[in-house]
Amino acid sequence: MTKSTAIRSSLFLLTLGFSSQFAMAQRGEIESQTYEIVKEKSIEFAPANRVYDKVDPIKGETGKKKVDYQIIDPQIDLSSPKLTPSVAASSDEQKRKDEPDVLNNYVKLGAGNYGRFLGEAFVGGRPSEDLVFTTQLKHLSAANGPVDNKNSANASTNFRIGGKYIRSKYKVEAALDYDRKNYYFYGYQPQPETVQVNRDSIRQTINRFGVALGFENTDASVLVDYSVKTSLHTLRDRYEASELDWGTKLMASVPLSESFHALLEADAFVTQRVDRFTYNRNLFRVKPTFKYTSDLFSVTAGINVANETDSELEINRTKAFPVLNIDVAPFDGLHVFAGWNGDMVRNTLKSMLGENMWLGPNVQILNTDKDSEISAGVKGEGLAGFNYEGKVAYTQYRNFYYFNNSLADTSQFSIIYDPGKTKVLSISGQAGYNFNDLFKTSVKVNFFDYSVADLEEPWHRPDLTLNWFNALAISKKLFVTADFYMLRGIKAKIFQSGEVTKLPVIADLNFKIDYLLTRNFSAFVALNNVLGKQYQRYQYYPQQGLNFIGGLSFSF
């Protein structure tokens, strides 16, 4: 990292991807994602030497390490964007990029309508040349919501501490985090004024604890390049459901020649789920591949073998999937790529709640087979900060999952799986432009065409999504960000009556303004859902209309 400040944004990925910090306003909605203007910490880490991608980066620099890679747990990327509301994240000052003694630590306080409150603190340090650490505590809550005031309140508290120990030949990193979310199932049918809803009966509380440890060799003289990461997560809700999940990932590479490498990815996940019953769900995966790279093109080919067991469903099966990726660079700044891949997509209670927080008790969790994905596209970058990417993919799934209101209680959701072969055509395009860090804009459009096998419709999955983000530095003290989201084509079913409904198009416009008062103090205000539409991402769950939060940040 550098000591400069930067404008950092989190744009949505199709849920085959979106990793970001969760600052809860109301998950399951698209309401209040804003983009933080934050300074990059002055702590300097070793350069990233493992960035593995099916398509080689457009501009690569030859480093000392032999092969670049990154371990990624595969996810389905076809659900709607996991938009992460950070309604009250304040700026950390662009002005400081010109100052030698960057202020790394901060305390933020903010408040807004709906009884919103934000409190956040960050402290980082470097006790020695080799050791760095960060600690963050954040609380975001709303005392009232869009339905029956306190019956749709919510609160989220997150604590995280992490550290890295970096030597010339290896790197060790560790992290510990705790996350607590409290909210209410307010998607019940309207009640007469004489009827009082028991808040305690619709309350949900989710506690999650996680610890992670990683080891990576950084010694270029070692023939075998490798990285090992292990993590343990626990989750417990108010209805006595819990999940214990332990995962370990290994990545290794061996150079066979100057341009030819043998690669190995291996995962092991051991999971225990407790709900109405107690059962174990495990997944083991090994993916040996070979990669050839030249100045003109690169080819990666191999096989992906996965084994899953489930004691409740009495499953013990092994499947093999293809791995073939080709990337051609006819000239600088342009890449044409194609691939044929498959995988066993791992689903857990934690991952499902990450997509839809309104799940009812005893939901069934199954893994999804991505039997085959054939894709092709082009990406590149032009002069003056312009970049683009376009991709077309045709994917066949089994046990593809959807969400819909439960038959027993429409305020809670069930997970519905398509046991047949679900075929999905996806077309995506994105473009971005940066002008000297003064103005940044990016837009991404995704179109999906679902061909379901044993279901009527792809319940609660959009067929079109659009994301447009802009950031403008008006001066050294004033910064403005704006983002716009749109989702279309979401369908739901009322199983009690058999009625199929098509939810209105979701359009969400947000603004955020940051102003530097002094070197240590800054003020911020975020306006979310400016259009004031109480849209429904999930049926019976209207979201907050126009909402705002403002506050102060003190850096030291």
Side-chain angles (χ1 to χ4, degrees):
M1 295 187 184
T2 67
K3 294 186 179 181
S4 66
T5 59
I7 299 176
R8 232 173 16 192
S9 66
S10 292
L11 275 182
F12 117 76
L13 305 174
L14 298 176
T15 54
L16 280 159
F18 217 88
S19 163
S20 58
Q21 288 185 338
F22 189 101
M24 174 179 175
Q26 290 250 25
R27 244 173 40 180
E29 64 186 80
I30 305 188
E31 55 151 354
S32 49
Q33 172 151 351
T34 56
Y35 291 80
E36 301 189 20
I37 300 178
V38 298
K39 62 176 177 297
E40 295 181 350
K41 306 308 171 192
S42 62
I43 300 169
E44 297 182 1
F45 297 95
N49 51 15
R50 303 171 189 274
V51 181
Y52 176 85
D53 196 334
K54 289 188 287 189
V55 182
D56 289 340
I58 294 173
K59 288 186 177 180
E61 295 182 1
T62 303
K64 294 183 179 180
K65 299 306 293 178
K66 299 172 281 299
V67 175
D68 295 336
Y69 56 72
Q70 179 183 1
I71 300 173
I72 298 177
D73 192 21
Q75 298 178 12
I76 292 179
D77 63 349
L78 293 174
S79 67
S80 60
K82 292 183 182 178
L83 302 174
T84 309
S86 55
V87 59
S90 75
S91 69
D92 283 315
E93 301 139 10
Q94 175 79 12
K95 175 183 177 181
R96 294 175 188 167
K97 71 179 183 180
D98 299 323
E99 299 176 356
D101 51 341
V102 177
L103 303 179
N104 296 309
N105 308 316
Y106 62 82
V107 176
K108 303 176 186 177
L109 290 175
N113 62 342
Y114 290 98
R116 288 182 178 272
F117 172 76
L118 168 77
E120 183 177 2
F122 175 90
V123 177
R126 189 166 194 165
S128 67
E129 186 69 22
D130 303 322
L131 179 64
V132 295
F133 75 91
T134 59
T135 303
Q136 186 170 22
L137 174 65
K138 186 171 186 178
H139 175 84
L140 179 62
S141 61
N144 301 297
V147 174
D148 290 347
N149 298 320
K150 292 184 178 181
N151 283 5
S152 52
N154 63 77
S156 175
T157 302
N158 177 263
F159 172 77
R160 187 179 191 279
I161 182 170
K164 294 185 179 183
Y165 183 67
I166 305 169
R167 300 303 301 268
S168 60
K169 295 186 177 182
Y170 64 89
K171 178 176 71 175
V172 179
E173 54 186 324
L176 181 149
D177 69 280
Y178 170 74
D179 187 77
R180 175 184 172 86
K181 295 177 176 61
N182 187 83
Y183 55 93
Y184 297 86
F185 290 100
Y186 64 87
Y188 49 80
Q189 298 301 313
Q191 302 294 313
E193 293 184 2
T194 57
V195 176
Q196 184 79 21
V197 176
N198 183 357
R199 292 184 70 223
D200 194 61
S201 68
I202 61 172
R203 180 182 173 187
Q204 172 67 295
T205 302
I206 296 177
N207 290 280
R208 186 185 62 82
F209 173 81
V211 60
L213 180 66
F215 181 87
E216 177 180 346
N217 80 304
T218 57
D219 187 357
S221 64
V222 177
L223 181 64
V224 179
D225 204 5
Y226 64 91
S227 172
V228 180
K229 297 181 180 180
T230 187
S231 61
L232 179 69
H233 293 276
T234 65
L235 182 149
R236 181 178 295 275
D237 75 359
R238 195 167 181 267
Y239 299 95
E240 302 304 321
S242 66
E243 184 177 67
L244 177 67
D245 188 29
W246 178 31
T248 301
K249 303 180 181 183
L250 166 70
M251 177 71 77
S253 68
V254 179
L256 304 178
S257 69
E258 183 74 18
S259 56
F260 194 51
H261 293 79
L263 308 176
L264 175 65
E265 298 178 49
D267 305 328
F269 297 96
V270 178
T271 306
Q272 183 183 74
R273 169 98 182 277
V274 177
D275 215 318
R276 182 171 49 190
F277 303 105
T278 298
Y279 55 95
N280 300 315
R281 302 178 63 243
N282 304 321
L283 177 67
F284 305 97
R285 182 166 43 219
V286 61
K287 183 179 175 182
T289 58
F290 294 92
K291 183 173 184 178
Y292 175 80
T293 305
S294 70
D295 293 336
L296 180 62
F297 69 93
S298 68
V299 177
T300 302
I303 189 171
N304 185 7
V305 181
N307 168 263
E308 72 162 338
T309 63
D310 190 313
S311 63
E312 182 193 37
L313 302 176
E314 298 182 347
I315 292 175
N316 187 347
R317 66 191 184 102
T318 303
K319 293 191 68 173
F321 304 93
V323 179
L324 178 61
N325 296 289
I326 302 173
D327 176 79
V328 180
F331 51 83
D332 289 342
L334 175 65
H335 280 252
V336 179
F337 57 89
W340 178 35
N341 294 272
D343 207 346
M344 190 174 291
V345 181
R346 181 172 175 266
N347 299 319
T348 63
L349 180 60
K350 175 175 173 284
S351 68
M352 291 297 189
L353 284 170
E355 286 192 49
N356 186 344
M357 65 191 289
W358 313 114
L359 295 181
N362 300 306
V363 292
Q364 188 177 48
I365 306 294
L366 302 175
N367 292 326
T368 299
D369 290 349
K370 185 170 71 172
D371 289 331
S372 173
E373 180 183 74
I374 301 174
S375 60
V378 59
K379 70 176 182 179
E381 57 184 22
L383 300 176
F386 176 72
N387 59 83
Y388 61 90
E389 179 175 341
K391 182 180 178 181
V392 178
Y394 180 75
T395 313
Q396 298 186 56
Y397 294 96
R398 290 189 185 275
N399 284 339
F400 196 69
Y401 64 88
Y402 310 87
F403 300 105
N404 201 71
N405 303 83
S406 166
L407 176 63
D409 184 352
T410 57
S411 69
Q412 299 178 350
F413 277 77
S414 299
I415 305 173
I416 302 175
Y417 297 89
D418 189 350
K421 187 173 291 186
T422 301
K423 302 174 183 178
V424 183
L425 172 66
S426 59
I427 303 172
S428 63
Q430 63 181 13
Y433 175 73
N434 298 337
F435 179 71
N436 293 336
D437 286 336
L438 297 177
F439 174 67
K440 297 185 178 183
T441 185
S442 61
V443 61
K444 184 168 186 176
V445 181
N446 303 272
F447 169 79
F448 307 108
D449 180 60
Y450 300 92
S451 176
V452 296
D454 299 326
L455 300 178
E456 297 175 70
E457 299 286 350
W459 307 121
H460 280 95
R461 287 188 179 271
D463 62 11
L464 179 69
T465 66
L466 181 146
N467 297 208
W468 185 23
F469 166 74
N470 298 274
L472 176 64
I474 297 177
S475 68
K476 290 185 177 181
K477 290 188 175 183
L478 182 61
F479 311 94
V480 177
T481 60
D483 48 80
F484 175 76
Y485 303 102
M486 185 188 75
L487 277 78
R488 189 198 70 178
I490 300 175
K491 295 181 180 180
K493 185 173 183 177
I494 305 172
F495 285 123
Q496 288 84 348
S497 64
E499 179 185 357
V500 175
T501 60
K502 186 173 182 179
L503 302 184
V505 173
I506 295 172
D508 192 341
L509 177 64
N510 309 296
F511 291 96
K512 182 157 179 289
I513 302 172
D514 297 88
Y515 186 77
L516 308 185
L517 302 172
T518 67
R519 182 175 182 273
N520 298 94
F521 286 95
S522 63
F524 62 90
V525 60
L527 302 174
N528 302 289
N529 197 1
V530 175
L531 302 178
K533 303 295 184 180
Q534 287 191 318
Y535 54 80
Q536 298 181 44
R537 172 59 187 90
Y538 293 103
Q539 185 170 232
Y540 302 140
Y541 280 92
Q543 304 307 314
Q544 294 174 349
L546 174 63
N547 62 89
F548 67 88
I549 193 165
L552 293 173
S553 175
F554 173 73
S555 299
F556 57 96

